[in-house]
Amino acid sequence: MPPDLPAIPSSEITPPEVFSQRRRLLLAGAAGLLGSTGSAATTNREEPLIASRNPRFALDDKPTPLATMTGYGNFYEFGPDKDSPAKNAYRLRLRPWTLTVDGEVRQKRTFAIEDILGWGGLEERTYRFRCVEGWSAVVPWIGLPFNELLKRVELTGNARFVEFWSLADPEQMPYVRTPFLDWPYVEALRLDEAGHPLTLLAVGMYGQVMPKQSGAPLRLIVPWKYGFKGAKSIVRIRFVEKQPATVWTKAGPDEYGFYSNVNPEVPHKRWSQSHERRLGEFFKRKTLPFNGYAEQVAGLYAGMDLKLNF
């Protein structure tokens, strides 16, 4: 059974407004390579998704409004600004969609998204969400524990890490044509991190299927880590023996560590991690170690120097 989760006080409720305009990234300079990226309103239709609210994760706080979370965020395949995903993700085609599982497994497997939805046991869980840039939110996700996938594949004895590969199709994701990151977007976890009861393969949020700009149809949620560890629109999961390089450790190894656990004691070069600002709030609040999940996950890192292994 999952360990007990700390309750999030009602004061952490985030009102429905976007906090700030994101700075332009280097990608803005590359935008001219793309020509028009389209500007149609995006999101897939708001389709309800039936899930059981897991009482062990059902906090009594009102989450960040859906409109805030779908209108503000990072999904660099669709553009560099916080509002780019909501403007450009309409290009994403959700069917057919398959997930390939390979690497250190006895047999390569491919699952259609319909297979995954048919595994049953979809849960709604409300987690804190913390971005390395210093903003945060409270989000009700719908998904399956990652362990549900582990039940359906047989690992070899060499599997130690898990890679999560996002789709990188320039026809659907125009900014994949730019050199901003080493596409495809690949993030990774240690195997025991992936198998922790908190780790979620999310297929929806706020009682509906996952919106395109939020990582449809399948994304990863690891609530004690910074948000960029959660790959979106996943098409491949690969088990490997050695710690892999990830998209962000390749882009800035002195800024983005492999672990990227939320840690108020380890500042990022550009953003102090000691405090955060909830979307819609004016005043900052203190950031909690492991984003408030230390009781559940700190043991995974016993004996490690978390300043070196940031």
Side-chain angles (χ1 to χ4, degrees), residues 97-152:
W97 193 280
T98 58
L99 170 69
T100 297
V101 181
D102 63 356
E104 293 293 343
V105 293
R106 299 294 181 193
Q107 183 176 4
K108 176 181 175 181
R109 299 288 304 274
T110 299
F111 302 100
I113 187 64
E114 290 83 2
D115 297 331
I116 296 171
L117 292 170
W119 290 348
L122 287 179
E123 297 181 3
E124 181 179 270
R125 301 178 173 191
T126 300
Y127 285 158
R128 295 186 185 90
F129 184 88
R130 174 65 156 80
C131 179
V132 71
E133 297 164 345
W135 58 270
S136 64
V138 177
V139 182
W141 303 102
I142 294 175
L144 297 159
F146 185 76
N147 283 329
E148 288 297 323
L149 182 137
L150 292 178
K151 293 176 183 177
R152 291 163 174 81

Side-chain angles (χ1 to χ4, degrees), residues 76-210:
Y76 295 118
E77 289 87 334
F78 293 112
D81 300 313
K82 286 291 184 288
D83 60 350
S84 294
K87 290 189 296 186
N88 299 328
Y90 70 94
R91 300 166 181 265
L92 184 61
R93 296 189 296 271
L94 300 181
R95 296 293 187 279
W97 193 280
T98 58
L99 170 69
T100 297
V101 181
D102 63 356
E104 293 293 343
V105 293
R106 299 294 181 193
Q107 183 176 4
K108 176 181 175 181
R109 299 288 304 274
T110 299
F111 302 100
I113 187 64
E114 290 83 2
D115 297 331
I116 296 171
L117 292 170
W119 290 348
L122 287 179
E123 297 181 3
E124 181 179 270
R125 301 178 173 191
T126 300
Y127 285 158
R128 295 186 185 90
F129 184 88
R130 174 65 156 80
C131 179
V132 71
E133 297 164 345
W135 58 270
S136 64
V138 177
V139 182
W141 303 102
I142 294 175
L144 297 159
F146 185 76
N147 283 329
E148 288 297 323
L149 182 137
L150 292 178
K151 293 176 183 177
R152 291 163 174 81
V153 298
E154 185 179 2
L155 304 183
T156 73
N158 294 327
R160 296 288 185 274
F161 296 87
V162 193
E163 295 177 342
F164 300 86
W165 292 52
S166 296
L167 179 70
D169 181 354
E171 290 187 1
Q172 303 177 61
M173 301 169 150
Y175 283 79
V176 171
R177 299 172 187 158
T178 72
F180 174 59
L181 291 174
D182 184 15
W183 313 107
Y185 193 106
V186 178
E187 268 299 343
L189 301 174
R190 258 182 6 206
L191 184 58
D192 58 343
E193 295 177 313
H196 191 277
L198 284 170
T199 303
L200 198 66
L201 280 174
V203 294
M205 56 196 290
Y206 298 86
Q208 66 178 61
V209 299
M210 188 70 71

Side-chain angles (χ1 to χ4, degrees), residues 9-308:
S10 57
S11 60
E12 296 189 6
I13 298 172
T14 305
E17 55 189 272
V18 174
F19 159 64
S20 66
Q21 183 67 29
R22 175 175 167 71
R23 65 182 173 80
R24 293 277 176 181
L25 299 179
L26 292 175
L27 196 55
L33 297 174
L34 302 172
S36 173
T37 59
S39 58
T42 182
T43 75
N44 40 321
R45 290 179 298 148
E46 295 182 2
E47 301 178 16
L49 187 60
I50 298 175
S52 299
R53 181 171 297 179
N54 188 326
R56 302 184 69 84
F57 302 88
L59 307 176
D60 61 356
D61 297 289
K62 184 179 179 181
T64 300
L66 171 64
T68 300
M69 286 304 299
T70 56
Y72 185 88
N74 297 317
F75 198 165
Y76 295 118
E77 289 87 334
F78 293 112
D81 300 313
K82 286 291 184 288
D83 60 350
S84 294
K87 290 189 296 186
N88 299 328
Y90 70 94
R91 300 166 181 265
L92 184 61
R93 296 189 296 271
L94 300 181
R95 296 293 187 279
W97 193 280
T98 58
L99 170 69
T100 297
V101 181
D102 63 356
E104 293 293 343
V105 293
R106 299 294 181 193
Q107 183 176 4
K108 176 181 175 181
R109 299 288 304 274
T110 299
F111 302 100
I113 187 64
E114 290 83 2
D115 297 331
I116 296 171
L117 292 170
W119 290 348
L122 287 179
E123 297 181 3
E124 181 179 270
R125 301 178 173 191
T126 300
Y127 285 158
R128 295 186 185 90
F129 184 88
R130 174 65 156 80
C131 179
V132 71
E133 297 164 345
W135 58 270
S136 64
V138 177
V139 182
W141 303 102
I142 294 175
L144 297 159
F146 185 76
N147 283 329
E148 288 297 323
L149 182 137
L150 292 178
K151 293 176 183 177
R152 291 163 174 81
V153 298
E154 185 179 2
L155 304 183
T156 73
N158 294 327
R160 296 288 185 274
F161 296 87
V162 193
E163 295 177 342
F164 300 86
W165 292 52
S166 296
L167 179 70
D169 181 354
E171 290 187 1
Q172 303 177 61
M173 301 169 150
Y175 283 79
V176 171
R177 299 172 187 158
T178 72
F180 174 59
L181 291 174
D182 184 15
W183 313 107
Y185 193 106
V186 178
E187 268 299 343
L189 301 174
R190 258 182 6 206
L191 184 58
D192 58 343
E193 295 177 313
H196 191 277
L198 284 170
T199 303
L200 198 66
L201 280 174
V203 294
M205 56 196 290
Y206 298 86
Q208 66 178 61
V209 299
M210 188 70 71
K212 290 183 177 181
Q213 66 266 43
S214 300
L218 182 67
R219 66 170 294 173
L220 185 71
I221 299 298
V222 193
W224 70 94
K225 294 180 179 289
Y226 294 116
F228 67 83
K229 292 294 289 185
K232 302 179 179 75
S233 300
I234 298 171
V235 293
R236 183 185 185 191
I237 292 177
R238 184 171 71 157
F239 294 89
V240 296
E241 181 176 6
K242 297 181 179 178
Q243 180 175 309
T246 68
V247 67
W248 284 108
T249 58
K250 287 189 282 188
D254 57 339
E255 297 188 24
Y256 302 96
F258 175 82
Y259 287 97
S260 293
N261 296 317
V262 175
N263 189 342
E265 302 298 325
V266 180
H268 185 276
K269 270 190 172 181
R270 284 168 282 161
W271 305 288
S272 167
Q273 299 305 326
S274 64
H275 291 72
E276 64 195 63
R277 194 190 308 273
R278 282 288 160 83
L279 294 178
E281 293 183 358
F282 181 78
F283 294 105
K284 292 185 177 181
R285 64 180 65 215
K286 288 185 177 179
T287 288
L288 301 173
F290 297 103
N291 204 22
Y293 300 98
E295 183 177 350
Q296 291 76 41
V297 302
L300 295 174
Y301 312 100
M304 292 178 61
D305 185 334
L306 298 183
K307 292 187 178 180
L308 292 176

